[in-house]
Amino acid sequence: GQQLNQSPQSMFIQEGEDVSMNCTSSSIFNTWLWYKQDPGEGPVLLIALYKAGELTSNGRLTAQFGITRKDSFLNISASIPSDVGIYFCAGLRETSGSRLTFGEGTQLTVNP
Amino acid sequence: GAGVSQSPSNKVTEKGKDVELRCDPISGHTALYWYRQSLGQGLEFLIYFQGNSAPDKSGLPSDRFSAERTGGSVSTLTIQRTQQEDSAVYLCASSLVGSGRAMRNEQFFGPGTRLTVL
């Protein structure tokens, strides 16, 4: 079952605003991945994190691997309408082989 | 190929029928994964193939579900005697390598097959 708590479940923001979402767990992860999924499509990888404390940017997106290895956050700056979609965190635990554990997603709506 | 491809994109079937879903991973990727996504939910791991190793089937929900990977490339997920609760989007992903602390495991997803069981 799900072991990643992702929040918020949904967000409604105005174009230009910054957005922050996060995932937490009671388990330790050694990889964190952030994906975006558009309707009718598969998830697209946005950012991958491999080391505790790592802060990585991809354009307007910034993600961090928490020091405790039990959490991660994703920030989107200066949102635009095409940022609309569902954002998923996913974690990989050393004890779970290659199976990714997914959060339940954050539905982002950007009003122009 | 350029990305992971899946077919069919949509499948409507009657309860009790068998279905086969196909996945073509990215060329050169040794690891292949199947996930299931129910409406409004995150992804649920089903099965994982890595090279010639025995697959990790620990996520398959029942013995009606099976998967094979032929020649280390194309994979087929089979659901026998489908039930209405099997309705979901079935997503396939591939990665260059499998698990390991020193290895990168960036999984790239296909567009999915939307299965509807009437």
Side-chain angles (χ1 to χ4, degrees):
Chain A
Q2 293 288 1
Q3 298 178 45
L4 287 182
N5 300 307
Q6 184 171 350
S7 64
Q9 289 186 331
S10 61
M11 301 184 73
F12 297 83
I13 62 171
Q14 294 297 124
E15 182 177 358
E17 291 183 352
D18 298 344
V19 170
S20 183
M21 58 192 80
N22 69 84
C23 276
T24 61
S25 175
S26 57
S27 302
I28 290 175
F29 288 84
N30 58 27
T31 298
W32 285 95
L33 305 173
W34 284 92
Y35 288 88
K36 178 177 183 257
Q37 186 175 30
D38 292 328
E41 303 288 331
V44 173
L45 182 65
L46 299 174
I47 291 180
L49 302 160
Y50 298 97
K51 291 173 57 177
E54 180 180 358
L55 184 71
T56 296
S57 293
N58 178 7
R60 294 179 294 106
L61 278 61
T62 302
Q64 185 159 29
F65 192 142
I67 291 290
T68 64
R69 297 170 62 194
K70 295 182 179 180
D71 63 321
S72 177
F73 72 74
L74 174 70
N75 286 342
I76 305 173
S77 62
S79 59
I80 59 178
S82 62
D83 290 335
V84 166
I86 303 177
Y87 292 79
F88 290 100
C89 63
L92 187 65
R93 293 186 295 149
E94 187 173 6
T95 57
S96 61
S98 281
R99 54 157 63 188
L100 283 175
T101 301
F102 279 81
E104 293 189 348
T106 295
Q107 171 73 62
L108 178 64
T109 301
V110 180
N111 296 314
Chain B
V4 178
S5 60
Q6 292 185 245
S7 61
S9 55
N10 282 283
K11 177 71 176 178
V12 180
T13 190
E14 294 179 347
K15 178 181 173 181
K17 295 287 181 66
D18 298 350
V19 296
E20 284 190 353
L21 312 180
R22 176 187 168 104
C23 172
D24 282 272
I26 293 172
S27 177
H29 279 193
T30 61
L32 185 148
Y33 315 79
W34 284 97
Y35 293 86
R36 178 169 70 174
Q37 185 177 29
S38 299
L39 186 63
Q41 300 292 314
L43 280 71
E44 172 192 6
F45 169 82
L46 297 177
I47 187 170
Y48 155 61
F49 296 89
Q50 170 58 54
N52 295 321
S53 302
D56 175 356
K57 304 179 181 181
S58 57
L60 295 179
S62 78
D63 59 9
R64 296 186 295 104
F65 288 72
S66 63
E68 62 178 20
R69 189 180 185 191
T70 54
S73 180
V74 171
S75 177
T76 302
L77 177 69
T78 301
I79 309 174
Q80 296 177 308
R81 304 181 302 282
T82 53
Q83 304 294 311
Q84 288 183 333
E85 61 262 28
D86 298 336
S87 297
V89 176
Y90 289 82
L91 290 155
C92 176
S94 69
S95 67
L96 189 58
V97 292
S99 175
R101 286 180 67 89
M103 294 183 175
R104 304 237 151 165
N105 187 29
E106 297 168 8
Q107 296 182 20
F108 296 88
F109 283 83
T113 294
R114 180 174 296 280
L115 175 66
T116 303
V117 182
L118 302 177

